[in-house]
Amino acid sequence: QEPLDLFLDLPDCETPFLPTEVGRAVASLKPNKTTGMSRVSVGLLKNLIEADYGLQLLCDLFNAFLFGVATIPSDLANGWVILLPNGW
């Protein structure tokens, strides 16, 4: 079973993301963190939501993923965790 197949059994009763929710979530992200496999940095997201239509664009993108209008790249389901000793 593919990792994204797990989402197919979820109930279809989610409410759409609101721009205020997305803005609050992005604002709460900590700066200077590594991008991970997606290579999407916190700085990029924060600059995007400050652009004229950036917040609405990001919100629309998340809602397209949520409601199946857009296909989520399978790479987003994969991730690596690298444990580093404190102080590195």
Side-chain angles (χ1 to χ4, degrees):
Q1 186 175 21
E2 293 292 318
L4 294 178
D5 290 342
L6 300 171
F7 296 111
L8 297 176
D9 294 331
L10 293 175
D12 192 20
C13 60
E14 293 295 325
T15 58
F17 289 105
L18 300 174
T20 53
E21 294 173 313
V22 173
R24 201 173 327 121
V26 171
S28 72
L29 295 173
K30 296 178 182 177
N32 302 322
K33 296 289 182 180
T34 59
T35 60
M37 295 178 77
S38 70
R39 302 200 197 243
V40 177
S41 69
V42 171
L44 178 111
L45 291 173
K46 288 189 176 189
N47 285 327
L48 179 63
I49 67 167
E50 290 174 7
D52 288 340
Y53 299 102
L55 179 58
Q56 188 61 51
L57 178 71
L58 193 58
C59 190
D60 291 346
L61 179 66
F62 290 155
N63 284 323
F65 289 153
L66 180 64
F67 295 111
V69 178
T71 303
I72 300 173
S74 61
D75 290 349
L76 291 179
N78 299 323
W80 291 39
V81 175
I82 301 172
L83 301 176
L84 298 174
N86 207 8
W88 280 61

